[in-house]
Amino acid sequence: MPSNHTATPTFSPFVDHKGNISFPYGFKSWQHLGSWAVIGEERGESSLHNVYASEGAAEAYIATGKFPDGTVLVKDVVSASNAEHTTGNAYWAEKNAVRFVMIKDSVGRFSNNALWGDGWGWALFQGNDTKNQVATGYRDDCLGCHVPAKQNDWVYVYGYPALGESVKNFSPLAKKEMDAMTGAMSRAKESAERLALGERIFGQCKACHSTVKGKHKVGPSLAGLAGRKAGSAEGYRYSKAMKAADFSWDENTLDMHLRDVSGFVPGNKMAVLFRRNISEAPTRRVLIEYLLTL
């Protein structure tokens, strides 16, 4: 990888041949990308951050999804005060705090300069002092604040509407929505798989039970089972024991019944025809989940 190239105006007029970064006067005439408000009421520290990009950077990003070589980004940070207004608690700009400058370097021109790396040159100017760049190394002085934006070339692009609609996809809100959607899809898939398994297990019950309302076999139809009072399916002749049972079918009562067919409701018909119970709890659970959907 080349290093210590001689910087020319075709790369950046704000960089000398050693990679020293000078202050980009006139940046406020550049394109405004977006603004941030950092509210620190607990510590009494609040600031407004206005971000600007050199000419053509936004258009290039919209077209390619990347910042072109030589792009200059300036974050102009001013301290802010606040007070209650008729419209609520409002903040306003006061004095210059710091100016952060980033210059895109796509080829690694200054690998021996501690202010350059990870595709950018990094600089920091304090207050109104535009003569002295105070950062000594980009890793210690600059990179830490950009770690959450690492996947987007270290830039919080979602905060800059001028970069196009697609940058919204990189916001924490979009990620949260995507994670929620992915989680919902995963849960739906898992639920569908469990119901399919429950239906397969129900295959051993089909000889005695149908899933069609009013169509009874040796046992009653299980259609509409959830919440139904025991012994109440219309048109089926129940045992005296089941008819006298005083409970409704739900996850809990179904589990007790399938775990101990003869003991849960002593004297019921099923105890005669199905003596072995369903002893495995996972098997009962997926079967019950399926039965409650009928």
Side-chain angles (χ1 to χ4, degrees):
M1 182 176 291
S3 62
N4 294 329
H5 283 199
T6 300
T8 68
T10 56
F11 166 60
S12 176
F14 309 111
V15 183
D16 69 14
H17 68 285
K18 293 182 179 180
N20 296 311
I21 299 172
S22 59
F23 189 79
Y25 297 102
F27 72 87
K28 288 189 178 180
S29 66
W30 296 354
Q31 183 165 12
H32 176 240
L33 294 186
S35 296
W36 302 82
V38 178
I39 308 303
E41 292 179 333
E42 292 183 1
R43 297 173 299 168
E45 299 174 359
S46 299
S47 55
L48 304 176
H49 301 217
N50 297 301
V51 181
Y52 301 84
S54 53
E55 184 178 354
E59 291 80 358
Y61 186 91
I62 292 172
T64 67
K66 297 180 180 179
F67 292 104
D69 196 44
T71 292
V72 183
L73 302 179
V74 179
K75 179 186 282 188
D76 183 32
V77 181
V78 295
S79 61
S81 291
N82 69 292
E84 287 293 331
H85 290 62
T86 56
T87 55
N89 191 12
Y91 289 77
W92 64 92
E94 287 204 325
K95 60 183 179 179
N96 291 326
V98 294
R99 275 79 172 260
F100 294 97
V101 179
M102 296 173 65
I103 301 180
K104 184 63 185 173
D105 174 24
S106 301
V107 298
R109 293 172 172 83
F110 307 104
S111 59
N112 293 327
N113 189 317
L115 292 176
W116 294 79
D118 284 292
W120 294 89
W122 312 70
L124 175 63
F125 297 86
Q126 293 278 14
N128 290 314
D129 185 357
T130 59
K131 299 293 185 183
N132 299 300
Q133 194 288 125
V134 297
T136 57
Y138 87 95
R139 290 189 181 278
D140 293 332
D141 297 335
C142 307
L143 196 64
C145 293
H146 292 256
V147 168
K150 180 179 180 179
Q151 299 305 316
N152 297 316
D153 199 15
W154 305 96
V155 179
Y156 292 92
V157 293
Y158 57 83
Y160 307 130
L163 298 180
E165 286 292 315
S166 64
V167 296
K168 293 179 181 178
N169 297 327
F170 303 118
S171 76
L173 294 178
K175 184 179 184 304
K176 186 177 180 180
E177 291 174 358
M178 182 59 70
D179 288 346
M181 185 181 299
T182 300
M185 291 174 65
S186 177
R187 290 190 294 274
K189 180 181 179 182
E190 180 183 357
S191 178
E193 290 173 348
R194 289 177 65 83
L195 289 178
L197 177 58
E199 186 174 13
R200 288 198 296 273
I201 294 171
F202 181 72
Q204 62 184 297
C205 311
K206 285 183 176 180
C208 296
H209 296 281
S210 84
T211 59
V212 179
K213 185 177 181 180
K215 184 179 179 181
H216 305 299
K217 295 184 178 180
V218 176
S221 167
L222 300 182
L225 183 65
R228 189 170 75 197
K229 185 181 182 303
S232 67
E234 188 176 349
Y236 181 75
R237 296 180 62 184
Y238 287 95
S239 63
K240 291 182 179 179
M242 189 61 76
K243 216 168 181 183
D246 187 20
F247 63 85
S248 297
W249 293 114
D250 57 20
E251 184 176 354
N252 186 49
T253 54
L254 281 169
D255 184 71
M256 290 189 289
H257 177 55
L258 294 173
R259 187 175 61 214
D260 185 7
V261 175
S262 61
F264 181 56
V265 181
N268 73 88
K269 290 182 181 179
M270 187 171 170
V272 177
L273 300 171
F274 190 80
R275 296 176 180 276
R276 62 185 179 88
N277 307 315
I278 300 179
S279 58
E280 301 84 4
T283 302
R284 288 199 307 275
R285 279 197 294 271
V286 292
L287 174 59
I288 290 168
E289 287 175 17
Y290 170 72
L291 293 176
L292 294 177
T293 67
L294 297 177

